[in-house]
Amino acid sequence: MSENVNNNMPSNPGVVYRNDIRNVAIIAHVDHGKTTLIDAMLKQSKIFRENQVVGELIMDSNDLERERGITILAKNTAIMYRGVKINIIDTPGHADFGGEVERVINMADGCLLLIDSVEGTMPQTRFVLQQALEKGLKPIVIINKIDRQNAQISEVLGQTQDLFLELATDDKQLDFPVLYASGRDGYADTTINGQNKDLIPLFEAILNNVPPPAIEKGPFQMLVSNLDYDTHKGKLAVGRIWRGKVAPHDKLVVIDATGNNTQYEVSEVLTFLGLKRIEVEEATAGDIVTLAGIEQVNIGDTLASPVNPIALPRIKVTEPTVEMTFGVNTSPFAGREGKYCTTRQLRARLYHELETNLSLRVQDGDTSDVFRISGRGELHLSVLIEKMRREGYEMAVSKPIAIIKEINGQKMEPYETLIIDTREKHIGVISEILSKRRAKITNMRNDLNGNVRLEYHIPTRGLIGFRSDFMTMTRGEGIINTRFVGYEPLGGEITSTRNGVLVASESGIAVTYGLNNAQGRGLTFIDPGTFVYEGMIVGLSSRMQDIAVNVCKEKKMTNIRSSTSDIAVKLTPPIKMTLEQAIDFINADELVEITPKSIRLRKKLLTETQRLRARV
């Protein structure tokens, strides 16, 4: 126990507190500055050497996070300040990864709620704050990016107070400290016009306001909140110790979801400091640790002493709202580019993902080579697909659909709050599109500078495929945010507004002459020299019905010369889709073929004969 700090100790008689540790989660809406603030906290805590090059966005360690500019996985780090170890839990800010927040927030005693000084409270701000208040975490509000030119600090603070009034479960939660910060410039202060130029006020606020961990008496008990893997140490279990202590070579019992007990011996005990794991001789209640030597363990399992093995409540996460099918790649190009192409390999990988991705659900499909995958949103599922293709998997995925439930004999569907920030000149076209998707406007705000915020109540079905349409209609001048609000009675049908597609009628190599003919019927997706197969989608038709085109057709050779024969055919550049755009684009009778090197669109039934028979 440390005697260096003795601030704001809880006054519960008979309860012992460990004052040398603070466990705090950083929560916010996407792009409100969590990871940048953690960068500054790590650097100013002197964790790194003076000459060490650490870069930016230190906690976004994997390639996908750096490419997309968002946090996908929750992570742990720690700093030292005035003899107190501050364990920091970095959480994702995107709604589709809310399961990561629900999974790790139980390790914290307090939270830093970051709110952008311009955007204010957003859908995910509400979600993460609600989770924190329900768990009894002590909040510290940080209004971030106060250096932005159009900051609305007083208005944002008012929004935050209103949100606390709505969500608080206890009167004490309404009394929260507020800091004003710039994570990018690395400073925070207790007043808007403060002159402080470092994060000392933030560190002091954590020590003074986040309660130290309570130490329960009794044998060892820990809830596994995360899993990791090391090539030398094997599977690693990460979690907070709630009771007792643990050391290398201790015997522990794993209590799984069914209540079965399995005994293992701990080989190593590690704690976090900066970006490293430090091996320790012993860890006690309040520590967030990594344990090696536990071979068979899952997130939500309890690690306990064999003396009195009692399970802690398992982690609960919100149910998925969207599902799609993952199937073995059955196109003529199957197996050419991927390393893992069989049903057995695909099944093993998907079920392995369930160990760490608590929001995911995997079920066997109607046939042996198809699986039904459910998640929190299109981005949640597309990130899984991208991870798998980078690992060498081939697959074919269907269009996402909303999960329909039957509650008390009535069919119910998920609904979401949709918030759009865009320019006021786009209001008309957005309103027209969303009305066809059964969205109802609930609020509209204009900042009198041409910027507008629109809020809608919309079924999840109406959101599927909307993002790509939105980016097109606003020419990139807009941001979409959503939040799941619950299930409501199933509404009417939402009809597709997409045109038909250009479907390759023959297999071969696409040539300029064939593509030029195809561009007379619509927009193309491929370049000359691309290998195609019958049933592959090569473009978007200018009509509502599909059109079969032969993009492999070459110009016939003749002995008649033309004065224009040497003039090269100029093609319109093809449309190149990202993975998310491809998934949004397809209809129910189409698939996205995904390999480590390619993303192709195709019909489920490849031949024209099969498609004609299916219509009968």
Side-chain angles (χ1 to χ4, degrees):
M1 303 279 179
S2 172
E3 302 299 331
N4 295 342
V5 179
N6 190 25
N7 297 313
N8 195 36
M9 286 284 286
S11 56
N12 294 336
V15 179
V16 178
Y17 293 92
R18 184 177 174 184
N19 204 30
D20 62 337
I21 281 185
R22 298 292 188 275
N23 296 320
V24 60
I26 296 190
I27 58 176
H29 184 78
V30 65
D31 202 32
H32 279 201
K34 298 182 304 301
T35 307
T36 304
L37 181 65
I38 292 176
D39 281 2
M41 293 175 72
L42 289 169
K43 291 171 182 175
Q44 293 189 28
S45 65
K46 307 298 182 183
I47 288 293
F48 306 114
R49 301 188 311 272
E50 291 292 336
N51 63 343
Q52 187 173 350
V53 179
V54 293
E56 297 179 348
L57 303 179
I58 303 168
M59 296 299 288
D60 285 348
S61 52
N62 67 57
D63 292 340
L64 268 177
E65 289 180 320
R66 288 190 171 274
E67 288 171 17
R68 294 169 182 260
I70 59 173
T71 301
I72 296 173
L73 301 172
K75 306 176 192 69
N76 295 82
T77 186
I79 60 174
M80 296 296 299
Y81 177 72
R82 289 178 52 201
V84 177
K85 185 175 186 179
I86 302 175
N87 284 312
I88 301 170
I89 305 158
D90 184 21
T91 64
H94 198 286
D96 283 20
F97 306 109
E100 290 288 305
V101 180
E102 295 169 308
R103 175 170 64 81
V104 299
I105 205 168
N106 64 80
M107 292 192 285
D109 298 300
C111 65
L112 306 181
L113 176 67
L114 266 69
I115 303 173
D116 189 294
S117 65
V118 175
E119 293 185 359
T121 57
M122 298 292 281
Q124 189 69 355
T125 311
R126 171 185 289 272
F127 173 79
V128 294
L129 179 60
Q130 185 174 9
Q131 293 294 317
L133 296 180
E134 287 176 356
K135 295 289 191 300
L137 271 58
K138 174 69 176 178
I140 298 173
V141 171
I142 302 174
I143 298 180
N144 196 25
K145 305 184 184 182
I146 61 170
D147 53 326
R148 291 183 66 175
Q149 187 175 4
N150 49 349
Q152 306 173 75
I153 297 173
S154 57
E155 183 179 333
V156 169
L157 180 58
Q159 292 176 13
T160 305
Q161 291 168 337
D162 291 343
L163 190 61
F164 270 85
L165 281 169
E166 187 177 343
L167 298 179
T169 58
D170 189 325
D171 291 345
K172 293 179 181 178
Q173 292 175 337
L174 299 176
D175 181 21
F176 53 87
V178 180
L179 296 177
Y180 306 91
S182 170
R184 185 191 63 182
D185 295 333
Y187 67 84
D189 212 329
T190 54
T191 61
I192 298 176
N193 299 315
Q195 301 301 310
N196 189 65
K197 295 301 176 186
D198 56 32
L199 292 176
I200 296 299
L202 173 57
F203 295 146
E204 291 290 339
I206 293 172
L207 264 57
N208 294 333
N209 294 281
V210 175
I215 309 303
E216 296 183 33
K217 293 183 179 180
F220 177 81
Q221 196 178 39
M222 168 181 146
L223 184 68
V224 179
S225 298
N226 201 358
L227 294 177
D228 206 344
Y229 185 82
D230 186 275
T231 51
H232 302 291
K233 300 179 177 67
K235 183 177 279 191
L236 304 173
V238 181
R240 172 177 167 172
I241 302 175
W242 290 98
R243 200 169 66 184
K245 58 185 179 180
V246 64
H249 309 298
D250 281 358
K251 299 288 193 299
L252 295 182
V253 169
V254 176
I255 307 173
D256 63 18
T258 61
N260 293 327
N261 295 1
T262 309
Q263 185 166 301
Y264 292 99
E265 180 180 315
V266 177
S267 59
E268 287 185 32
V269 179
L270 305 105
T271 59
F272 294 91
L273 188 62
L275 304 182
K276 299 178 181 178
R277 287 192 176 102
I278 309 297
E279 190 172 349
V280 295
E281 294 182 0
E282 183 181 83
T284 58
D287 278 319
I288 294 176
V289 298
T290 301
L291 302 183
I294 316 294
E295 297 174 8
Q296 297 295 326
V297 64
N298 294 308
I299 293 174
D301 290 351
T302 299
L303 301 181
S305 168
V307 176
N308 186 21
I310 299 174
L312 289 162
R314 293 189 71 83
I315 299 170
K316 294 181 179 180
V317 298
T318 308
E319 291 293 313
T321 58
V322 172
E323 76 170 21
M324 60 196 301
T325 63
F326 285 39
V328 174
N329 186 11
T330 56
S331 86
F333 294 169
R336 292 188 183 183
E337 300 172 351
K339 186 178 177 183
Y340 308 110
C341 311
T342 66
T343 304
R344 179 183 59 82
Q345 291 166 332
L346 185 60
R347 174 193 291 271
R349 176 64 182 83
L350 290 171
Y351 279 95
H352 175 69
E353 184 70 18
L354 294 178
E355 292 183 10
T356 55
N357 200 334
L358 295 194
S359 299
L360 199 72
R361 302 288 184 271
V362 179
Q363 295 176 294
D364 290 345
D366 298 332
T367 59
S368 60
D369 59 351
V370 172
F371 304 92
R372 289 166 53 200
I373 313 299
S374 307
R376 293 281 280 265
E378 292 174 82
L379 183 61
H380 182 205
L381 297 175
S382 69
V383 165
L384 170 61
I385 295 167
E386 185 64 33
K387 281 169 55 180
M388 291 175 63
R389 74 182 288 242
R390 293 186 183 200
E391 293 167 10
Y393 286 85
E394 280 192 16
M395 70 200 88
V397 303
S398 70
K399 185 179 184 66
I401 59 171
I403 297 175
I404 309 299
K405 290 184 176 181
E406 190 166 311
I407 302 174
N408 298 326
Q410 186 176 18
K411 287 187 176 181
M412 311 282 277
E413 65 175 326
Y415 271 75
E416 303 190 35
T417 295
L418 169 66
I419 296 184
I420 294 174
D421 289 293
T422 187
R423 303 289 293 173
E424 59 184 7
K425 63 184 178 182
H426 302 304
I427 292 177
V429 66
I430 290 172
S431 300
E432 182 182 354
I433 292 293
L434 285 175
S435 64
K436 296 177 181 177
R437 293 173 175 267
R438 299 195 169 272
K440 296 179 180 177
I441 191 164
T442 57
N443 195 12
M444 181 173 72
R445 282 185 289 171
N446 194 316
D447 68 354
L448 304 179
N449 291 318
N451 301 307
V452 65
R453 173 171 290 181
L454 307 169
E455 295 185 21
Y456 290 89
H457 187 63
I458 184 171
T460 301
R461 286 184 301 143
L463 279 174
I464 294 172
F466 173 68
R467 291 178 187 273
S468 55
D469 289 346
F470 175 77
M471 294 305 292
T472 302
M473 71 178 76
T474 61
R475 298 177 178 86
E477 294 183 316
I479 299 173
I480 293 178
N481 290 289
T482 60
R483 180 178 65 89
F484 171 69
V485 293
Y487 277 82
E488 297 181 17
L490 182 65
E493 185 180 356
I494 298 174
T495 56
S496 173
T497 56
R498 196 204 76 180
N499 284 1
V501 289
L502 305 179
V503 185
S505 60
E506 290 189 17
S507 301
I509 301 175
V511 296
T512 302
Y513 183 77
L515 285 170
N516 186 51
N517 291 335
Q519 287 190 347
R521 296 173 172 83
L523 304 171
T524 54
F525 298 157
I526 60 173
D527 292 301
T530 303
F531 287 87
V532 300
Y533 54 81
E534 183 182 3
M536 180 173 159
I537 296 171
V538 295
L540 177 65
S541 171
S542 57
R543 302 180 181 182
M544 293 304 295
Q545 56 267 65
D546 298 342
I547 300 175
V549 294
N550 183 7
V551 293
C552 307
K553 183 179 180 181
E554 296 184 359
K555 185 177 181 181
K556 292 182 179 179
M557 301 294 289
T558 70
N559 60 357
I560 301 173
R561 294 188 179 184
S562 170
S563 60
T564 59
S565 61
D566 294 331
I567 299 176
V569 175
K570 292 185 179 180
L571 295 174
T572 303
I575 298 171
K576 299 291 185 181
M577 292 189 185
T578 63
L579 175 60
E580 284 85 1
Q581 287 170 337
I583 292 171
D584 275 350
F585 176 80
I586 59 174
N587 277 338
D589 64 335
E590 297 160 358
L591 298 172
V592 182
E593 177 190 350
I594 295 157
T595 75
K597 296 181 181 179
S598 307
I599 296 174
R600 303 184 186 97
L601 307 181
R602 53 161 288 188
K603 288 290 185 179
K604 284 184 179 179
L605 302 175
L606 293 178
T607 68
E608 181 69 18
T609 304
Q610 290 174 321
R611 294 195 292 274
L612 288 171
R613 286 176 179 170
R615 291 176 198 158
V616 177

